[in-house]
Amino acid sequence: VAVLEHAGVRVHRPAQRCCGMPNMDTGDLDAFREKARFNVASLADEVRRGRAIVAPGPSCSMTLRKEYPEILGTPDARLVADRTLDLMEYLWKLWREGELPREFKNPLTSVAYHAPCHLRAQRIALPAKSLLEKIPDTEVTVIEQCSAVDGTWGMMSQHYDLGVKYARKLTRGVANAEAKYVASDCPLASQRIAKENGARVAHPVELLARAYGLTSDTE
């Protein structure tokens, strides 16, 4: 919110619930539809007021864009899907349109950036990398490897050891980068990295806020 407001964007937070992806992952489609209907009803009203929808989590933005129109099949679900953007995708759009401030107070020096699978699945490319690289004296190393969390599967204790095995390329990539900051848009992948690498993992927008001088490393 601080970064968006720094760019002159007015931020509204309408009533909303979990996007429902955890329910869909476990086959509870009734609960998924209930959450989807609630969110669509609330967010569609915002779209009709001329507002864009931004989601800081790629799993959530993909659910709003892809799953809601497929599962609900309503005009409002399609309306919400058409106006939903991933947060970093939206910020990169503002940058390209000259609406995002270009004055930075703090270089980041080096960032190890994990590219989430649900961003790639939306064919968004890597807007966070593109934007962070605009910060002077900042080098971004992209680690495009699976975290093996896979939604609710990876949150189950019986799958932990197997998940760690398949996440080795990711955790090694983070370690080998030897970066000052570690970032990922995905909160689940971030938990894997934090646990296995003993690293503090930031969302890219947190690093952007740091570069603008809106926050410090202790916040």
Side-chain angles (χ1 to χ4, degrees), residues 156-176:
M156 298 177 183
S157 58
Q158 64 265 37
H159 299 147
Y160 173 73
D161 290 337
L162 189 60
V164 169
K165 175 183 175 182
Y166 284 106
R168 281 175 185 162
K169 288 183 179 179
L170 168 61
T171 54
R172 285 173 183 164
V174 171
N176 292 339

Side-chain angles (χ1 to χ4, degrees), residues 36-37 40-41 44 67-81:
R37 290 190 187 104
V40 164
E67 309 300 346
Y68 280 11
E70 287 187 7
I71 298 294
L72 297 183
T74 63
D76 275 3
R78 290 188 287 271
L79 180 66
V80 167

Side-chain angles (χ1 to χ4, degrees), residues 4 22 103 138 194:
L4 288 168
E103 297 77 32
T138 298

